[in-house]
Amino acid sequence: IAGITQAPTSQILAAGRRMTLRCTQDMRHNAMYWYRQDLGLGLRLIHYSNTAGTTGKGEVPDGYSVSRANTDDFPLTLASAVPSQTSVYFCASSDEAGGSTDTQYFGPGTRLTVL
Amino acid sequence: GQNIDQPTEMTATEGAIVQINCTYQTSGFNGLFWYQQHAGEAPTFLSYNVLDGLEEKGRFSSFLSRSKGYSYLLLKELQMKDSASYLCAVADSNYQLIWGAGTKLIIKP
């Protein structure tokens, strides 16, 4: 199956717990992104990676970390979850990055609730 | 600051035409995207404009005026399956996408 997969689909988490959201793509895209989507707000970029081995901060990076050990995987970690991190998280990828505008393709999302 | 404005919600009738507007103020411009997002699903790509003018793709068309910081998405022959949110996004000077909050389109029979 081509595309982007995310896991888990949804999760309820106690505040203070550590959580890793997984994202895998099989399109051999260079760039990957993590967004959060909250009601009434546009998608907001958390972190991105232009290529394997590099990462960068987006608009709302605080409380989140990422790694890009290989082309396919881009996990997002919440070190100590807080209720304000309750959101829907989307992973996306694009073929090119860093100096070009390329269409981003999205995974199905993870709905996270922090209590 | 950077800002993308779209109407929050619109209602239209099946078979009709609807125009969804998007105005933007960004630091630089490297193209404008429209995405469709059904409730509970991921955004999916609809169109991309980087030059002024109209791009037509089947029942959907997208228009861009860079001098006015304005775009619209035109949906013709509306179908019930077109009920969704439509997201406008602009690539800024760093090629990062700045997203509007989306327009929820409700189609009535």
Side-chain angles (χ1 to χ4, degrees):
Chain A
I1 299 177
I4 302 178
T5 58
Q6 292 184 235
T9 302
S10 66
Q11 182 76 43
I12 299 174
L13 190 66
R17 297 297 295 270
R18 181 183 179 88
M19 176 74 192
T20 295
L21 308 185
R22 299 184 298 278
C23 174
T24 300
Q25 55 104 357
D26 64 1
M27 297 177 283
R28 308 303 293 173
H29 282 173
N30 287 308
M32 297 187 75
Y33 313 85
W34 273 106
Y35 290 95
R36 59 178 290 173
Q37 187 175 41
D38 302 290
L39 196 63
L41 299 176
L43 288 161
R44 291 183 291 169
L45 183 65
I46 303 171
H47 285 286
Y48 64 93
S49 169
N50 286 335
T51 189
T54 69
T55 62
K57 294 181 179 180
E59 179 187 357
V60 289
D62 293 344
Y64 306 95
S65 63
V66 292
S67 61
R68 186 90 183 276
N70 56 60
T71 298
D72 299 343
D73 301 300
F74 191 43
L76 176 74
T77 297
L78 289 67
S80 179
V82 294
S84 62
Q85 292 178 311
T86 293
S87 187
V88 179
Y89 291 85
F90 287 103
C91 180
S93 72
S94 64
D95 195 16
E96 298 292 334
S100 68
T101 306
D102 204 6
T103 301
Q104 293 184 16
Y105 298 91
F106 286 79
T110 294
R111 184 175 296 274
L112 181 67
T113 302
V114 183
L115 301 176
Chain B
Q2 308 203 90
N3 195 50
I4 311 286
D5 285 319
Q6 311 178 229
T8 302
E9 187 175 294
M10 300 181 70
T11 302
T13 304
E14 190 177 14
I17 299 173
V18 71
Q19 178 175 310
I20 302 174
N21 296 325
C22 171
T23 58
Y24 63 88
Q25 290 179 309
T26 56
S27 57
F29 179 84
N30 282 300
L32 185 145
F33 291 86
W34 284 97
Y35 279 75
Q36 180 189 60
Q37 185 177 25
H38 285 102
E41 298 184 7
T44 56
F45 170 76
L46 286 177
S47 68
Y48 171 68
N49 295 67
V50 67
L51 299 176
D52 290 351
L54 187 68
E55 295 276 346
E56 296 185 80
K57 192 184 295 185
R59 294 189 298 114
F60 293 8
S61 303
S62 56
F63 172 84
L64 175 67
S65 169
R66 289 172 296 171
S67 63
K68 295 182 179 178
Y70 168 70
S71 173
Y72 67 72
L73 181 69
L74 191 71
L75 291 73
K76 303 177 185 177
E77 302 170 14
L78 286 169
Q79 302 175 10
M80 298 303 293
K81 68 178 182 180
D82 297 330
S83 293
S85 289
Y86 292 85
L87 314 182
C88 174
V90 172
D92 69 8
S93 57
N94 295 317
Y95 296 91
Q96 287 194 357
L97 292 187
I98 309 301
W99 295 80
T103 299
K104 182 178 180 180
L105 179 63
I106 300 168
I107 309 296
K108 295 186 174 180

